[in-house]
Amino acid sequence: MKVYRTLMIICCVISALIVAALVFVFIYAGMLWGLVSLGGELVFVCLMMLFKKLDQAEQLKRNPPPPTGDFITGKAKKDENNQDK
C-alpha cells in the first residue's frame, strides 16, 4: 500500500510550505499568528514522522530482512525452504 508514503509526502510538502511562509507571517501578521503557524507546522511534521514509521512497519511486515548472525548469537539458521545442499 502506498497510502502511507503518499500521506507522508503530502505532509512534507505542506510542512515545507508553512516553513517558507513563516518568516512573512511573523513579520506581517505578528507574533501570535506566527506561533499558530509554527504549531501547525509542528503538527504536520509529527504526522509526516508517524506516516513514515507506519510505512516502514508495513514494508518490514511484507518483506522481512533475512536472518543474520553475529559473534554473540552464532551463525544464522538457514530457512528450511531455501536450504542449499
Side-chain angles (χ1 to χ4, degrees), residues 1-79:
M1 304 262 292
K2 295 184 178 183
V3 175
Y4 293 132
R5 191 166 295 169
T6 304
L7 289 172
M8 181 178 66
I9 291 170
I10 289 171
C11 287
C12 182
V13 169
I14 290 172
S15 177
L17 290 174
I18 292 173
V19 167
L22 261 176
V23 172
F24 299 106
V25 171
F26 269 111
I27 291 173
Y28 295 116
M31 183 66 100
L32 177 66
W33 287 108
L35 292 176
V36 169
S37 300
L38 185 63
E41 192 270 333
L42 290 175
V43 167
F44 280 106
V45 167
C46 291
L47 284 173
M48 179 183 64
M49 297 300 233
L50 173 71
F51 292 138
K52 180 179 179 180
K53 187 177 285 191
L54 290 173
D55 182 49
Q56 287 176 345
E58 186 174 317
Q59 292 291 331
L60 280 176
K61 186 170 59 173
R62 271 198 256 146
N63 189 14
T68 57
D70 58 9
F71 68 96
I72 295 174
T73 60
K75 192 173 183 179
K77 296 178 182 172
K78 290 185 179 181
D79 188 16

